[in-house]
Amino acid sequence: MVLLHADADAFFASVEQRDDPSLRGRPMVVAHEVVACPSYEARALGIHAGMPLRQVRRRWPQVLVTGYRSEAYEEASARLFEIFRRFTPLVEPGSVEEAFLDVTGRDRGDPRGLAVALRAAARAEVGLPVSVGVGRTKLMAKLASRRAKPDGLIVVDAELEARARPRLRLDELWGVGPTTYEKLHAAGLFVVSDLHGLDEDDLKPIVTTAMARRLVSIARGTDDATVRLPGPRRSVSATRSFAATRTRSKVVAVLDECVDRAVTRVLGLDGPPRLPNRLEVLVRYDDGAQALRRGPLEAPTLDPAVLRTAAGHLLEQTAYEDDGRGVSMVGITLPLPAPA
């Protein structure tokens, strides 16, 4: 198997720097009250996604700020994926700017050369830097692309994998979060080589059955190498983070904006429009807690006015105004029926 993990660097910020030459090489952020994406120049200062914009302005007044332009990012994403599919039809999206590509048999024995060509096409045709990792499994390809950033390429061949895999820290593994790692740490497991000789039954008292199975496969080098083609979208979502508030007009205005963005995304899908008959509203508070409310629509529709009204009713059900915590994010999800 030869897999690529292609990931556009600092995607939102790179699009802004592409479109505005005055931003290039300078610390800048894409933000709307909170940072959505810092450029690498801004990251070098210590700025990260989710940081309140007022904090950035106070501490780093030299940092440039641009707003969030969803249409520009969606257009850049579509063009990136056109390039990915030119190299192979076996493309599994991870997000709007990253994907796994199965290029087995298409690389003509030169995976580095193919990855170089893909990166050059993305730079020439979309104007964006794309880091690429090449590996035998998804894990190795993704770790390689992460190490290659920014704007780099790393190929993990069989020899390098044999040396690197046993030394991988468990908290580096894709899908191992802080809580899982704490449990593994407490059990004296720190790197992949510590898993050698263990089976699923040994790990089930420590982690979930699915995680135990995954860790054993990683230790044995038999982890996931299957690129799965996406089926029809089952839902479309839109969210936005902002400085924590309980002000009704602010929260409602942001939710209405999310509704409009979600409708635009549904209409942009291939094929005839699929009309949702229910919707979900998500509220996240400033302490990280979330409230999710679901409800049916009177009739399937993509009428923004109808959806805004229905979303507003679900928002009221969260009782966020009386909660005492500030709201820091709202979003909407439109579950979609299967294509006819």
Side-chain angles (χ1 to χ4, degrees):
M1 298 294 294
V2 181
L3 303 184
L4 272 60
H5 183 254
D7 191 356
D9 300 321
F11 180 58
F12 299 157
S14 291
V15 171
E16 297 300 335
Q17 291 178 319
R18 177 198 68 182
D19 294 348
D20 184 351
S22 70
L23 300 174
R24 297 174 188 172
R26 304 176 65 182
M28 55 82 59
V29 297
V30 177
H32 194 310
E33 300 190 22
V34 297
V35 175
C37 180
S39 68
Y40 277 95
E41 297 84 359
R43 296 179 192 199
L45 299 174
I47 299 170
H48 57 80
M51 183 176 286
L53 183 56
R54 63 176 179 274
Q55 179 182 345
V56 173
R57 291 188 186 277
R58 182 175 63 250
R59 187 171 178 184
W60 299 282
Q62 76 276 24
V63 171
L64 304 174
V65 179
T66 70
Y68 185 94
R69 298 186 300 142
S70 59
E71 291 184 2
Y73 311 137
E74 290 169 5
E75 184 268 346
S77 173
R79 292 173 63 192
L80 273 178
F81 276 85
E82 287 175 3
I83 292 174
F84 294 164
R85 294 188 179 97
R86 187 188 310 161
F87 284 82
T88 174
L90 303 178
V91 176
E92 179 181 336
S95 65
V96 295
E97 80 277 13
E98 66 170 309
F100 289 104
L101 291 74
D102 186 341
V103 297
T104 307
R106 299 173 185 274
D107 62 336
R108 300 180 181 179
D110 182 17
R112 178 179 292 276
L114 186 146
V116 167
L118 184 148
R119 281 171 24 85
R123 175 72 77 172
E125 300 176 33
V126 191
L128 297 178
V130 173
S131 293
V132 176
V134 182
R136 185 181 57 83
T137 69
K138 287 182 176 179
L139 172 66
M140 299 311 296
K142 190 174 180 73
L143 289 177
S145 71
R146 185 185 300 169
R147 299 284 176 86
K149 287 181 173 294
D151 196 15
L153 164 63
I154 291 180
V155 177
V156 181
D157 58 19
E159 181 180 349
L160 178 56
E161 179 179 346
R163 296 199 309 269
R165 183 181 285 268
R167 298 200 296 265
L168 291 175
R169 298 200 319 267
L170 298 183
D171 59 342
E172 288 184 302
L173 301 183
W174 181 28
V176 176
T179 300
T180 298
Y181 180 66
E182 286 178 8
K183 295 177 181 178
L184 294 168
H185 189 170
L189 304 172
F190 305 95
V191 296
V192 168
S193 60
D194 293 334
L195 301 171
H196 292 167
L198 302 180
D199 58 24
E200 290 182 30
D201 289 337
D202 296 319
L203 293 172
K204 284 179 183 178
I206 306 171
V207 296
T208 65
T209 298
M211 180 56 68
R213 185 177 304 117
R214 173 168 166 71
L215 291 173
V216 168
S217 69
I218 289 173
R220 296 174 180 173
T222 59
D223 43 300
D224 189 12
T226 303
V227 167
R228 297 170 178 82
L229 300 182
R233 289 284 295 270
R234 296 183 177 181
S235 65
V236 168
S237 299
T239 63
R240 206 188 95 190
S241 299
F242 45 91
T245 181
R246 281 184 289 164
T247 303
R248 177 185 177 85
S249 60
K250 174 66 176 180
V251 177
V252 171
V254 174
L255 182 60
D256 287 348
E257 175 193 318
C258 290
V259 169
D260 293 342
R261 284 168 47 208
V263 169
T264 299
R265 289 172 180 173
V266 174
L267 294 174
L269 298 177
D270 293 335
R274 289 183 281 154
L275 307 183
N277 59 15
R278 56 194 176 95
L279 77 166
E280 303 172 359
V281 167
L282 176 69
V283 169
R284 185 172 69 202
Y285 295 102
D286 52 14
D287 63 355
Q290 298 187 153
L292 177 66
R293 297 293 183 270
R294 300 183 175 93
L297 296 167
E298 292 186 1
T301 184
L302 279 174
D303 184 329
V306 173
L307 293 173
R308 284 194 292 265
T309 299
H313 291 326
L314 293 178
L315 178 66
E316 291 297 321
Q317 293 178 21
T318 67
Y320 70 95
E321 290 182 280
D322 303 321
D323 185 272
R325 294 171 292 182
V327 175
S328 61
M329 187 197 79
V330 295
I332 182 172
T333 297
L334 301 176
L336 301 175

